[in-house]
Amino acid sequence: MKLKIAIQKSGRLYDESVELIRSCGIQISNPNGRLKTEASNFPLELLFLRDDDIPQYVEDGVADAGIVGENVLLEKQKSVVICNRLGFGRCRLSIAVNKSAAYKSLDDLQGKKIATSYPMVLTNFLRENGIDAEIHEISGSVEIAPGIGLADAICDLVSTGSTLLSNGLREADVILRSEALLIANNQLQDFQNNLLRQLIFRIEALRKARNNKYILLNAPNEQLPRIAAMIPGMKSPTILPLAQPGWSSLHSVVDENEFWSITENLKQCGAQGILVIPIEKMIL
Ligand code: ATP
Ligand code: ZN
């Protein structure tokens, strides 16, 4: 009775997929080229596959769940459940043209030839935008297609854009923003759903922790109500008296994105000695 999760065998998603499982407190040994491995402290088995095959295996139930790029899932059009967006493997699926090409808008693709490894996603995108172009499907090294006269434009994954640049191309339009997803079979049995829920619970605790910080500060007692309202934390802040009369230490949790703007206001309220500490796991 194990939960079988498919992850990429090697490539851009491998390290972070393994890291995610490990950071959930699940111990897995190094696969060393094996097809699968079992966790020692959680009923979980990892299957190592090519990323392109993961949606199919999850739909078929060969794997109960999988970690795969959204770009691959949309291309394969398999019927699975998306459980979580995982925040790594971020990239764009973009149209790129020759650096010198006079491209202004999508309309400039009318009647052109576009090389891609993502024919489904591209076909849908062109149809939605009323563009009639010829799609040339190739499985790899898409970026060399314009240079060798195979296509006028390409549709390929981009993260920094340096591969495009070194092939004399420029990013002209973004058609999809992608990140790694946790997907699952849509007919799991109860025990599998149960295990998956435990895993998702851990993943979410990690994500909340990453987005929040533990904050400690000293403040004059008369300012405590105002400060407590600014950083209410999970329920309410902890307030402890300092040895120095008239002062207290206040502990709370803040959203990482709001930290700098809140800090300004805290200082105006007389807060001093502000410490901000990372949180490892956070359960509400
Ligand atoms: P496989 O051998 O498993 O088929 P692959 O060569 O198709 O591997 P990778 O290049 O390892 O795949 O990319 C896997 C996924 O990583 C992509 O589908 C995408 O979701 C994500 N990714 C993130 N950044 C990039 C990038 N700059 N280029 C390509 N993929 C990226
Ligand atoms: Zn692939």
Side-chain angles (χ1 to χ4, degrees):
M1 302 288 243
K2 287 188 162 52
L3 186 72
K4 284 183 277 180
I5 299 191
I7 66 167
Q8 193 187 21
K9 186 176 167 57
S10 65
R12 293 177 196 262
L13 298 180
Y14 172 80
D15 285 340
E16 282 170 289
S17 300
V18 168
E19 178 52 33
L20 177 75
I21 304 286
R22 289 197 169 131
S23 59
C24 287
I26 297 172
Q27 286 165 9
I28 40 174
S29 56
N30 255 338
N32 295 329
R34 274 177 293 151
L35 188 64
K36 55 186 185 177
T37 191
E38 284 183 14
S40 57
N41 60 348
F42 192 88
L44 180 138
E45 187 171 78
L46 280 188
L47 310 180
F48 301 100
L49 300 168
R50 282 200 59 197
D51 67 344
D52 313 68
D53 298 332
I54 292 175
Q56 176 81 61
Y57 279 110
V58 172
E59 184 187 69
D60 293 346
V62 175
D64 306 316
I67 295 177
V68 72
E70 194 172 4
N71 52 304
V72 171
L73 181 62
L74 288 173
E75 181 61 28
K76 301 296 173 187
Q77 308 218 311
K78 300 296 172 196
S79 163
V80 297
V81 182
I82 297 175
C83 309
N84 261 124
R85 307 182 69 81
L86 299 173
F88 62 85
R90 285 185 199 276
C91 56
R92 310 181 288 280
L93 186 61
S94 291
I95 302 280
V97 296
N98 267 324
K99 239 186 304 195
S100 55
Y103 179 98
K104 285 203 193 65
S105 73
L106 285 176
D107 274 337
D108 294 322
L109 294 174
Q110 289 290 7
K112 295 283 165 55
K113 206 188 230 188
I114 311 172
T116 188
S117 311
Y118 293 89
M120 279 308 271
V121 178
L122 180 59
T123 302
N124 291 338
F125 176 80
L126 294 177
R127 192 185 305 125
E128 281 162 20
N129 287 280
I131 308 291
D132 190 14
E134 187 185 329
I135 297 178
H136 193 96
E137 182 178 351
I138 43 182
S139 57
S141 303
V142 177
E143 64 282 355
I144 64 166
I148 58 171
L150 192 66
D152 305 301
I154 64 166
C155 169
D156 202 9
L157 295 175
V158 184
S159 50
T160 59
S162 60
T163 310
L164 292 183
L165 215 62
S166 60
N167 283 281
L169 302 172
R170 68 181 167 93
E171 194 173 359
D173 261 302
V174 176
I175 75 169
L176 173 77
R177 287 182 196 278
S178 176
E179 66 185 281
L181 304 175
L182 177 67
I183 57 170
N185 178 275
N186 50 26
Q187 286 171 324
L188 292 182
Q189 297 177 38
D190 286 351
F191 84 91
Q192 293 162 323
N193 258 325
N194 228 328
L195 292 172
L196 185 62
R197 263 202 301 274
Q198 289 180 44
L199 186 69
I200 292 171
F201 180 83
R202 296 184 189 190
I203 291 173
E204 283 173 354
L206 292 167
R207 184 177 40 213
K208 282 184 214 120
R210 228 189 350 254
N211 295 341
N212 286 278
K213 296 278 179 279
Y214 193 73
I215 181 167
L216 301 89
L217 56 85
N218 296 329
N221 286 346
E222 63 276 12
Q223 292 292 348
L224 291 175
R226 280 178 70 197
I227 293 179
M230 280 177 206
I231 44 174
M234 293 204 280
K235 198 179 278 306
S236 69
T238 306
I239 295 177
L240 302 165
L242 289 191
Q244 183 175 331
W247 282 75
S248 296
S249 164
L250 185 145
H251 302 194
S252 193
V253 169
V254 287
D255 186 314
E256 160 98 274
N257 297 317
E258 291 167 12
F259 171 71
W260 288 112
S261 61
I262 292 175
T263 302
E264 275 302 303
N265 298 338
L266 292 174
K267 292 196 71 171
Q268 275 167 17
C269 286
Q272 297 178 359
I274 302 174
L275 301 178
V276 177
I277 300 169
I279 300 171
E280 190 178 320
K281 297 183 184 71
M282 187 164 154
I283 295 146
L284 297 182

